[in-house]
Amino acid sequence: MRRTKWLALGMAMAPFAAQAEAPDDAGEVMAAASIVVTGTGLALPPGTPAYGSVTIDRDRLEDAASGRIESVLADVAGFQQFRRSDSRASNPSNQGATLRALGGNASSRTLVLLDGVPVADPFFGYIPFSALVPDRLALVRVTRGGGSGAFGAGAVAGTIELASATRDQMPHVGASAYYGSKDATELSASIAPDLGQGYVSLSGRWDRGDGFQTTPRDQRVAATVPAAYDSWSTNLRAVAPIDATSEIQFRGTLFQDNRTLRFAGADSVSQGQDASIRYISRGRWQVDALAYLQARNFSNIVISSTSFRKSLDQRSTPSTGIGGKIELRPPVGEDHVLRIGVDSRFATGDMYEDAYNAGLASNPLTSRRHAGGDQISSGIFAEDDWTIGNLVLTGGVRADRWSIRNGFYKAISAAGLVTQDSSYANRSDWEFSGRAGALYHLSDAVALRGAAYSGFRLPTLNELYRPFVVFPITTQANAALKPEKLKGVEGGIDLTPASGVQLSATLFYNRLDDAIANVTIATNTRQRQNVNAIVAKGVELTASAQLPADFSLLASYAYSHSKVDAPGMAFDGFAPAQVPRHSASATLAWAPKAGPELSATLRYTAKQYEDDLQSDVLPDALTLDAIARLPIGHGISLVARGENLFDEDVVTRNAGGSIDLGTPRTLWIGVRFGQ
């Protein structure tokens, strides 16, 4: 409660920091005589394209039929969550993000940043997708492959950078209201007034729905209920100039997400209060400095699928993340962009849960459990981009000191007797990583690129200390888990054969040593373990084109041959759990300068396996989404949206034949206003 009040006070006071006259153009950095704020970070170094990043612009972000950021990220073939469900019908702790077919166990192997701040939950490592509203963003940049340098630790599968919308991209006043299938509603509103030479934006969104049946008809029982959801988030952002070349940016976000999955009473709640402050200087010595605080919590009730009584009450999982970064770009000449800096992240969390005997009608308490620990990682990095005519060389090194401390697990019986009281040894070490790349422009139409990189990810507090149950499977924690370490190489070509047409192809090879996986150790029992390695190799293709008659096309395809290297284990040579071999996405849009707009997105995901032993198959799926807008004047548009128009059965979970399904055909109608 104290943390919530502190953050709310900070959000309320932030606008008073922005006092000056309105800018003429918020999208450009100004001459020394005038002051213009941008609300952005420092410009990208010239070597960034060497790592084959993909950018999703604001137009596409506002054009998702689901209105959810995870659906937009699926435009980048190879992006996946632990499960195929979106954030309306998945347990929040399942929402890990990964790339490059490296598999997952619900924690994120991809580093997700919002305005430079990591957004993953400090305890679980999942991404709170429902709090990341596409309308609030200017762009998303997805870099597949390991990262180091200024990205920070944790980017073993890649980096997803989210940038908040700038003043010139936001309406002064905006609102939308939608009504959809299953009595679903989605309401949002925003205001973005100029405040002197700075600006403030305040936005909120609330969406709820009775939900769809995730359980196939032939598996439903009296206790089966639809996947109802009710979530809200609010965001305050303020940008204020300090002088002609520097500014302060503040952001605060509050969110809460309530979901019910499969059975009556199987309720989960995730909530958070985040705040960050960032200083940007675009002077001769460029500076990017930020500090942030995250206060999160999660609770979840597990219902037995045989007695339909409560078997586990994960009543509270409070966690805190604190961190910061300082990056300097000294003036070293026009041919070089040198970045040096330090960053640090501290995470602490506790898990409180109660176990019940669901086999007895009285449903008695059997055990109370408490687990938790602390983590800290601090790094120093240096990276340089060197431009030599048509050639750009880029390289960076990073050293991180990490520690895992104060880990424990304690269980007490209903009678008050201590049945387990384990304290785990503190651990610490150094990790060294780096990356290097080259980009050569053969001509204006052809560019070649290549890169090599390494990186690491610490096991989350959840992986180390918290067991969990998705009936009938129990997954044990493992306090002895080691960090994952990645090595990878890639090469590619970028083509611009005609104006408005861009094509890209990338070949990659990644090896993730000591990969953390959920390993089957007995019937209905798994444990998180380090396996020898996951080896992923494949090809990624992307295309974008502005076509005649106001049409545009975006397309992406990934082929990934991924396997587990685990000599002597039953799953040696198998594909990692939850990894498809093929994935593809294509969006065709028609957007004349005035009048109606239409777009349709076709997505395909090949079959994948639920488990490490490849015993439970998730069949392939082909879905079609569409959205149509009709402007009617005065900034008002009528909007129709459709999800999964084929009404495809998308299997999201298969535990020995116990099936969960993803979003069925869902239709929306609404109105949108912005001026």
Side-chain angles (χ1 to χ4, degrees):
M1 181 65 69
R2 289 195 299 270
R3 291 183 297 197
T4 304
K5 290 181 178 178
W6 184 89
L7 287 166
L9 178 61
M11 292 175 66
M13 294 297 293
F16 297 98
Q19 303 290 334
E21 188 173 13
D24 294 328
D25 184 354
E28 297 181 3
V29 182
M30 66 289 140
S34 62
I35 296 179
V36 178
V37 298
T38 70
T40 63
L42 297 179
L44 290 175
T48 301
Y51 301 103
S53 60
V54 177
T55 299
I56 303 171
D57 63 21
R58 182 167 172 82
D59 288 342
R60 177 61 186 133
L61 287 166
E62 295 182 310
D63 207 26
S66 68
R68 297 184 175 269
I69 188 64
E70 60 268 35
S71 298
V72 181
L73 290 172
D75 282 0
V76 181
F79 166 82
Q80 61 180 123
Q81 300 180 79
F82 177 60
R83 298 199 185 278
R84 294 172 172 178
S85 306
D86 67 26
S87 55
R88 292 166 294 188
S90 174
N91 189 289
S93 63
N94 284 337
Q95 293 178 180
T98 192
L99 295 159
R100 287 265 164 95
L102 289 175
N105 57 1
S107 298
S108 290
R109 286 190 168 123
T110 299
L111 180 63
V112 182
L113 305 171
L114 174 57
D115 297 329
V117 176
V119 300
D121 184 89
F123 186 89
F124 290 92
Y126 70 79
I127 308 301
F129 284 114
S130 62
L132 303 175
V133 180
D135 290 354
R136 299 173 186 165
L137 302 176
L139 60 84
V140 177
R141 183 177 298 104
V142 180
T143 303
R144 294 174 285 200
S148 60
F151 280 152
V156 295
T159 304
I160 299 174
E161 300 168 89
L162 313 175
S164 292
T166 57
R167 178 64 192 88
D168 59 323
Q169 295 173 315
M170 297 179 294
H172 286 277
V173 179
S176 65
Y178 295 94
Y179 181 79
S181 305
K182 312 298 183 184
D183 198 27
T185 56
E186 178 189 308
L187 305 175
S188 65
S190 65
I191 57 172
D194 295 327
L195 200 60
Q197 286 181 316
Y199 65 88
V200 172
S201 67
L202 177 63
S203 61
R205 173 164 144 167
W206 172 55
D207 57 351
R208 61 153 305 280
D210 291 344
F212 61 90
Q213 288 283 1
T214 61
T215 308
R217 187 176 300 276
D218 61 356
Q219 296 184 6
R220 296 175 195 169
V221 296
T224 302
V225 296
Y229 63 95
D230 190 332
S231 65
W232 61 266
S233 69
T234 183
N235 186 78
L236 174 65
R237 191 163 187 260
V239 180
I242 296 175
D243 55 33
T245 60
S246 61
E247 65 191 47
I248 288 285
Q249 304 171 8
F250 170 85
R251 180 175 54 81
T253 301
L254 308 177
F255 68 88
Q256 181 166 312
D257 194 335
N258 304 275
R259 306 180 198 177
T260 299
L261 297 175
R262 198 173 177 90
F263 297 121
D267 303 326
S268 68
V269 180
S270 61
Q271 56 186 330
Q273 306 92 37
D274 295 0
S276 65
I277 188 166
R278 188 180 193 185
Y279 168 75
I280 297 289
S281 174
R282 301 179 179 89
R284 188 165 179 267
W285 277 76
Q286 297 186 22
V287 180
D288 183 353
L290 65 87
Y292 61 89
L293 171 66
Q294 301 164 322
R296 305 283 181 85
N297 204 347
F298 171 78
S299 63
N300 182 58
I301 294 176
V302 178
I303 299 296
S304 167
S305 63
T306 54
S307 68
F308 312 111
R309 303 185 186 99
K310 179 167 58 177
S311 62
L312 188 67
D313 183 358
Q314 298 164 335
R315 50 190 171 85
S316 184
T317 316
S319 63
T320 302
I322 303 172
K325 165 189 164 182
I326 299 176
E327 177 185 326
L328 303 178
R329 299 187 184 182
V332 291
E334 295 182 357
D335 295 337
H336 290 268
V337 176
L338 176 63
R339 309 166 72 184
I340 56 176
V342 296
D343 58 47
S344 186
R345 176 174 172 82
F346 170 76
T348 184
D350 291 84
M351 176 275 291
Y352 300 90
E353 67 179 23
D354 299 335
Y356 293 83
N357 187 338
L360 297 178
S362 59
N363 203 193
L365 174 74
T366 60
S367 178
R368 295 189 184 276
R369 304 163 185 164
H370 182 200
D374 305 328
Q375 284 184 341
I376 187 168
S377 62
S378 300
I380 181 170
F381 61 86
E383 187 165 276
D384 183 55
D385 290 14
W386 183 15
T387 303
I388 312 169
N390 291 335
L391 175 66
V392 179
L393 300 176
T394 178
V397 293
R398 181 181 176 92
D400 285 273
R401 177 68 175 178
W402 61 264
S403 65
I404 298 173
R405 305 178 303 185
N406 304 322
F408 69 93
Y409 182 90
K410 186 174 184 178
I412 301 175
S413 70
L417 300 176
V418 176
T419 57
Q420 182 176 344
D421 190 357
S422 301
S423 296
Y424 305 106
N426 295 342
R427 293 184 283 154
S428 62
D429 204 350
W430 284 92
E431 293 291 342
F432 298 92
S433 53
R435 61 178 186 164
L439 176 69
Y440 184 67
H441 295 275
L442 291 173
S443 66
D444 291 340
V446 181
L448 301 177
R449 51 184 167 78
Y453 38 76
S454 63
F456 81 101
R457 181 185 76 89
L458 287 179
T460 64
L461 298 173
N462 175 57
E463 292 169 320
L464 291 165
Y465 307 125
R466 173 185 169 262
F468 70 95
V469 177
V470 179
F471 196 87
I473 307 298
T474 297
T475 302
Q476 300 174 352
N478 184 350
L481 289 172
K482 298 180 290 186
E484 299 178 330
K485 301 178 184 180
L486 178 115
K487 298 181 180 67
V489 295
E490 64 183 69
I493 183 171
D494 300 322
L495 304 175
T496 309
S499 177
V501 179
Q502 295 180 320
L503 306 173
S504 177
T506 302
L507 295 171
F508 68 88
Y509 175 91
N510 284 182
R511 180 183 176 90
L512 185 66
D513 291 316
D514 293 323
I516 298 171
N518 295 336
V519 175
T520 300
I521 59 175
T523 302
N524 292 335
T525 303
R526 298 173 187 159
Q527 184 187 47
R528 300 185 182 101
Q529 294 183 4
N530 292 105
V531 301
N532 187 52
I534 292 175
V535 178
K537 52 189 175 182
V539 61
E540 298 158 344
L541 306 176
T542 61
S544 65
Q546 294 296 321
L547 305 175
D550 299 314
F551 282 92
S552 63
L553 174 68
L554 296 172
S556 179
Y557 167 76
Y559 168 79
S560 306
H561 187 277
S562 184
K563 67 178 183 179
V564 179
D565 179 19
M569 305 292 285
F571 50 85
D572 182 38
F574 287 7
Q578 309 292 337
V579 171
R581 183 156 291 190
H582 303 272
S583 60
S585 174
T587 298
L588 180 65
W590 178 59
K593 293 182 179 179
E597 300 177 10
L598 302 170
S599 74
T601 299
L602 191 67
R603 291 199 178 95
Y604 174 76
T605 303
K607 76 172 184 179
Q608 59 197 63
Y609 295 98
E610 173 77 24
D611 62 328
D612 58 325
L613 298 179
Q614 298 189 356
S615 56
D616 296 321
V617 177
L618 307 179
D620 62 348
L622 180 69
T623 61
L624 175 67
D625 295 347
I627 184 170
R629 290 195 182 91
L630 177 64
I632 58 176
H634 305 289
I636 301 174
S637 297
L638 297 179
V639 183
R641 307 184 332 207
E643 303 176 62
N644 192 7
L645 293 176
F646 295 151
D647 202 22
E648 178 89 345
D649 284 341
V650 181
V651 178
T652 63
R653 184 187 68 91
N654 179 2
S658 175
I659 301 293
D660 282 346
L661 300 175
T663 305
R665 182 188 296 119
T666 302
L667 305 178
W668 298 84
I669 188 71
V671 62
R672 183 169 181 170
F673 169 78
Q675 278 191 347

